[in-house]
Amino acid sequence: MDAQCSECPIRYRAVCAKCDSEELEQLEEIKFYRTYEAGQTIAWAGDELTFLASVVSGVATLGQTLEDGRTQMLGLLLPSDFVGRPGRASSAYDVVAVSNVTLCCFRRKPFETMLMQTPAIGERLLEMTMDELDAAREWMMILGRKTAREKIASLLSIFARRESAGPFPARATGVKITLPLTREAMADYLGLTLETVSRQISALKREGIIHLEGKRNVTIPDMARLLQETGDDGAQGHFA
């Protein structure tokens, strides 16, 4: 892949969203693309990460491996999400491609220098960091207190919100999303069995809360009704 920043599908969501044409030209000079196949490790926790990057397409997981070999999935990286942290040379987590992933990478040192000199990048990175913090808190609630049905509904609503790339009306109808995860990956991510995930998705389909086309294409006829299934009193606030 070799695309101009102005033609990038994540142009107005990524770390470069607030950059002007001159700043984009500077980023062009330090960027390169890398692709990873599903299942391939992008970075191991503790390893040196020589680049920082934005996810252009595909999905990756953030995880931690325990001493006994058990792994815990901690989060998802979806298109426009940022990989790595300026000022930290090593990866804090295992980063593994769930699907085929394309990264727009920036050489670390030039990007860190540009970050100090370009307020637009720093402002956008701060916004993304705060969004990531909100997502982490949301995920703690999903994993810690919710039923299997509420977990599935919450995950679907998160995908809908992310695919909309901005504020999403709770009364939206006919929302279409493409699931970025297989059911096996959803089960792993949610701490459920594959059978439970399939059973809950089938129940949501049977009750008309979602419509399925194949295994990955989902239509949500009434977003408000799906949000009611998440168990969140303030769920609609995320979509207002």
Side-chain angles (χ1 to χ4, degrees):
M1 179 176 180
D2 186 14
Q4 296 294 313
C5 289
S6 58
E7 301 171 355
C8 180
I10 59 169
R11 166 70 179 90
Y12 297 103
R13 292 184 284 157
V15 70
C16 55
K18 296 186 175 183
C19 291
D20 59 27
S21 57
E22 183 177 339
E23 291 161 348
L24 288 177
E25 289 179 5
Q26 290 179 265
L27 286 174
E28 290 273 11
E29 295 177 0
I30 64 172
K31 80 174 188 183
F32 58 95
Y33 292 98
R34 284 189 176 176
T35 58
Y36 300 86
E37 295 181 355
Q40 188 174 357
T41 299
I42 297 171
W44 292 108
D47 284 356
E48 181 181 9
L49 194 61
T50 59
F51 62 86
L52 301 164
S54 293
V55 179
V56 177
S57 63
V59 181
T61 60
L62 294 175
Q64 196 89 44
T65 302
L66 305 178
E67 291 184 1
D68 62 5
R70 289 176 296 161
T71 60
Q72 175 63 54
M73 198 180 299
L74 301 173
L76 291 177
L77 292 172
L78 302 172
S80 79
D81 282 341
F82 199 67
V83 181
R85 182 182 298 180
R88 176 183 286 177
S90 60
S91 176
Y93 307 105
D94 300 332
V95 184
V96 180
V98 177
S99 63
N100 293 341
V101 170
T102 297
L103 298 181
C104 177
C105 305
F106 307 102
R107 290 183 285 124
R108 175 178 289 279
K109 291 299 183 183
F111 182 87
E112 290 175 342
T113 298
M114 190 173 175
L115 177 61
M116 297 297 293
Q117 300 172 348
T118 312
I121 295 178
E123 290 172 7
R124 179 57 183 153
L125 193 56
L126 177 60
E127 289 178 354
M128 295 174 72
T129 300
M130 298 307 293
D131 287 344
E132 184 179 333
L133 179 60
D134 286 342
R137 289 168 173 166
E138 181 178 15
W139 199 245
M140 288 174 62
M141 174 61 74
I142 291 173
L143 292 182
R145 293 294 180 183
K146 294 194 174 186
T147 66
R149 183 183 179 93
E150 289 169 344
K151 288 180 178 182
I152 295 296
S154 295
L155 189 60
L156 292 175
S157 69
I158 289 171
F159 290 151
R161 184 168 73 242
R162 285 300 305 268
E163 199 156 306
S164 75
F168 203 90
R171 297 183 180 84
T173 59
V175 177
K176 296 179 182 287
I177 60 174
T178 300
L179 293 179
L181 299 177
T182 64
R183 294 189 182 186
E184 290 85 352
M186 289 173 66
D188 187 27
Y189 190 41
L190 294 168
L192 302 172
T193 65
L194 173 60
E195 291 75 13
T196 298
V197 170
S198 295
R199 186 165 58 249
Q200 295 300 329
I201 289 177
S202 295
L204 291 173
K205 176 185 176 183
R206 185 170 58 252
E207 295 170 29
I209 296 171
I210 62 172
H211 298 159
L212 297 178
E213 298 175 26
K215 292 186 177 181
R216 295 290 189 91
N217 296 318
V218 177
T219 299
I220 304 168
D222 183 348
M223 181 58 67
R225 189 178 176 196
L226 176 65
L227 292 176
Q228 290 174 356
E229 300 297 328
T230 65
D232 295 329
D233 289 341
Q236 294 191 13
H238 293 298
F239 290 78

